Amino acid sequence: MKHNLIKGTLALAVLAALAGCNSSKNESKPCVEDVCKLTVLHTNDTHGRFWHNEDGEYGMAAQKTLVDRLRAEAKAANSEVLVLSGGDVNTGVPESDLQNAEPDFIAMNHIGYDAMAVGNHEFDNPLDILELQRQWAKFPMVSANIYDKNTGKRYFDPYKIFKLKNGLRIAVIGLTTEDTAQLVDPNHVLNLEFRDPKVEVEQVIDGIKKANSADVIFAITHMGHYADGVHGSNAPGDVEMARQLPVGKLDAIIGGHSQNPVCMEPGVANQYADFKPGDDCQPDQQNGTWIMQAHEWGKYVGRAQFDYQDGKFTLTSYELIPVNLKDEDGAFIQER
Ligand SMILES: [Zn+2]
């Protein structure tokens, strides 16, 4: 009897071990044993520049060629890709303005944008034009801090969650400068309220974390980057928002509005580098949150490459890649 009991116990132990093995395989979470790779490509403040300039620089056709190449490079490196815009697609070139930026949105569809922040210039036209643009765009316009005064509800979706093939779940929250109400024709925004993005972002993040619906949280913002948070007469921007959030709440901000290359002087806190096309670019980091912005007009595509494993999200490389920018002699500036 004793012998059989031991035998039985052993058999049970073996079964339990096997079961344990199976269940752990079934429940194994993605991006725990394997590194999940993510490439974020970004632009902002393209302002009607769907066409190249008179020197043949930038433009959305050239941008598509570049993005296609970067997608192929990401695929070869086993990395998933998100293409994001920091907003202000509208206003700046008559060819675009006279067509309500339809060519710009068609080009963005071809390039394959995944989401864009709502910029203040998206309200340069009456709301019915913006509604038309939302229909043209095959990607969401997101903003968490714009409310409809009549309904008390948000006018846009506050965020979108992307579930990548490698299993990584990324929330992308949109935010718009509070200054918008003062920057545009008041008749276009009569029924809208632009609330404090610093308050809205924390509420949205808390909701996402409580529901455990994302592993990584990004904000695409149209609020401006002001070094050391010195925002002057502007509403507070990305730096001020990142500083007031608890560490670890927001992984990265892909910004716009201030129309600067956010490339910081290495080794010096809160100081812009003297960045020229083709130079290395070190993005800003405040309170653990990366902050990036790709100047303006589609002159650059920002490329941020990240690794995610077991809850750890790491930036492995960053660059601003020139889009057919030329030097004084008319030669294309090569990325390094
Ligand atoms: Zn703007």
Side-chain angles (χ1 to χ4, degrees), residues 123-128 149-150 155 180-192 194:
F123 299 94
D124 287 347
N125 299 306
L127 275 189
D128 58 336
K149 284 181 190 168
N150 296 324
Y155 193 76
T180 302
Q182 291 87 54
L183 292 172
V184 299
D185 183 339
N187 292 313
H188 298 167
V189 292
L190 273 180
N191 295 319
L192 298 179
F194 297 83

Side-chain angles (χ1 to χ4, degrees), residues 2 10 12 16 18 24 37 57 82 103 127 142 146 200 205 210 238 247 290 311 328:
K2 206 179 175 188
L10 258 174
L12 272 176
L18 281 171
S24 79
K37 290 182 176 294
E57 297 179 302
L82 283 181
L127 275 189
V142 284
I146 303 177
E200 297 293 315
I205 292 172
K210 206 173 159 200
D238 299 328
V247 176
W290 289 109
E328 288 169 359

Side-chain angles (χ1 to χ4, degrees), residues 45 47 86-88 119-121 177 180 183 222-224 256-259:
D45 298 272
H47 283 297
D88 270 8
N120 54 295
H121 280 285
T177 175
T180 302
L183 292 172
H222 195 83
M223 295 164 59
H257 189 50
S258 46
Q259 299 187 214

